[in-house]
Structure formats: C-alpha cells, structure tokens
Amino acid sequence: MIARIVFVAALAAALAACGEKPQTAATKKSDGKPWEGAQNGFVAQGWKAGDQGSWDAQMRTRAQGQNEYSRTAAQK
C-alpha cells in the first residue's frame, strides 16, 4: 500500500516536469553595429557616433591604456 502511494507520487512528480513551458524572450532585438552606439554626452572624447574609423581608433587607444607592457615602458 505504501509502495503504491510512493510510486503514484513519484509518477505525478515526473509528469509535472513535462508540462513546463519554454522560457524564451517575447521579442528578439537584433544588435546594431557598435560604432552606431549612444548619441549623447556620455561617450568618450574624440569618438563620433556612426563613424567606424573613429570607433576603431578609440578602441585601439583604450586597449593600449590597458596594456601593461606599454604602461610600464611609459613610466621608465
């Protein structure tokens, strides 16, 4: 009798997992190009929104600021 109750409870728990709905986003937004970013006052100096060349130059400058080799060489 107890084994039957345990079996029914386990079967009910197993079947409850089958009814879960997929959790996906309602709408998907495709990403834009990074150089078409913010058009406000909170951007880096010298960067022009919509200009890919300006974006590339800004990213190179930022990466060099994080390069430990160039930072220690500049301090000598």
Side-chain angles (χ1 to χ4, degrees), residues 27-42:
T27 58
K28 291 187 178 183
K29 177 183 165 189
S30 64
D31 290 334
K33 296 179 175 104
W35 54 86
E36 295 174 354
Q39 309 234 353
N40 56 30
F42 300 104

Side-chain angles (χ1 to χ4, degrees), residues 35 48 50-57:
W35 54 86
K48 300 171 209 74
D51 182 14
Q52 183 179 3
S54 173
W55 172 264
D56 290 337

Side-chain angles (χ1 to χ4, degrees), residues 7-31:
F7 175 74
V8 170
L11 184 63
L15 290 176
C18 295
E20 186 175 345
K21 295 178 183 176
Q23 300 175 3
T24 58
T27 58
K28 291 187 178 183
K29 177 183 165 189
S30 64
D31 290 334

